[in-house]
Amino acid sequence: MLKIAVLISGSGSNLKSLIDATNDPAYPVQIACVGADTDAAGLAYAEAAGIPNFIVRPADFASRADWGTAFAEAIRAHDVELVVSAGLMRILPANFVNEFSPALINTHPALLPLYPGAHAVRDALAAGATETGVTVHIIDEGVDTGPVLRQAAVQIAPGEIEADLHERIKQIERPLLAATIRAIAEGEIRLAEVAAAH
Ligand code: GAR
């Protein structure tokens, strides 16, 4: 069993799909804790599943680095082997990244390196793209610049609005994230080797 932490900021539908995946005893992953930076609605999924969860709010700290230290400590208390950012809408400070990376991954709603940042779906639409998708990657010190682990494409329908496109991306994203974590758990993806080759 690979023990993981899942980090969220919002609705937590990716978290919910991971919780559902772990209900299958053949899925080799245990969610040891869920962390958030705000009152994320998705914490209710952790609560309902009896998974330890916590909020560490940046506003309670003097600096981003201090927040990162406190967030990392809260995660470390659960002895996890992998930290998964699944809708954490905040850039992690360098001290946090250095502590966990390369065992620190993120899911992003675009085909990186296209459309990094907080508004990836909106940016793809604004660029007039006909295709976008989802990327699961290792977090490094840049913003959405770390080594790509898995990607899947989604075609954009003419006239499609952001909310509809994002929901269609998430339908691809949830199983891709679960499959990527499984591949890490089973040694098919070796994070240290991927990071070293980057
Ligand atoms: C996901 O689509 C994730 O890729 C995105 O937030 C959504 C969270 O959905 N993350 C980013 O945009 C990070 N830059 P969820 O809360 O329903 O899982």
Side-chain angles (χ1 to χ4, degrees):
M1 283 285 170
L2 183 77
K3 285 180 73 176
I4 70 169
V6 181
L7 309 183
I8 64 169
S9 294
S11 61
S13 71
N14 280 282
L15 167 65
K16 172 71 167 65
S17 94
L18 289 175
I19 292 172
D20 291 348
T22 61
N23 286 335
D24 176 355
Y27 189 69
V29 174
Q30 180 201 342
I31 304 174
C33 66
V34 174
D37 61 331
T38 186
D39 297 281
L43 288 172
Y45 294 127
E47 205 57 40
I51 300 169
N53 58 90
F54 49 85
I55 304 173
V56 183
R57 299 170 202 277
D60 291 341
F61 298 89
S63 67
R64 291 180 67 239
D66 287 353
W67 170 70
T69 301
F71 207 23
E73 269 171 18
I75 293 164
R76 218 186 304 111
H78 296 276
D79 229 1
V80 301
E81 297 153 282
L82 176 70
V83 179
V84 179
S85 162
L88 183 78
M89 297 305 289
R90 195 168 289 277
I91 296 166
L92 290 161
N95 59 343
F96 184 102
V97 173
N98 290 336
E99 168 139 4
F100 295 108
S101 190
L104 173 63
I105 68 171
N106 179 49
T107 181
H108 182 79
L111 294 173
L112 291 171
L114 291 175
Y115 316 119
H119 307 291
V121 181
R122 193 183 310 168
D123 293 347
L125 287 170
T130 56
E131 181 186 77
T132 187
V134 57
T135 302
V136 182
H137 65 96
I138 295 174
I139 297 179
D140 66 8
E141 282 192 35
V143 177
D144 300 326
T145 54
V148 170
L149 300 172
R150 292 278 193 269
Q151 288 185 307
V154 173
Q155 302 309 306
I156 300 175
E160 192 162 25
I161 63 167
E162 181 181 352
D164 292 348
L165 176 57
H166 199 168
E167 186 47 42
R168 287 201 307 114
I169 292 170
K170 285 192 192 184
Q171 283 167 16
I172 306 293
E173 178 175 39
R174 294 173 195 127
L176 187 78
L177 180 62
T180 307
I181 297 170
R182 175 196 282 273
I184 294 167
E186 292 178 341
E188 185 191 324
I189 293 176
R190 297 178 196 278
L191 294 171
E193 287 174 19
V194 175
H198 188 59

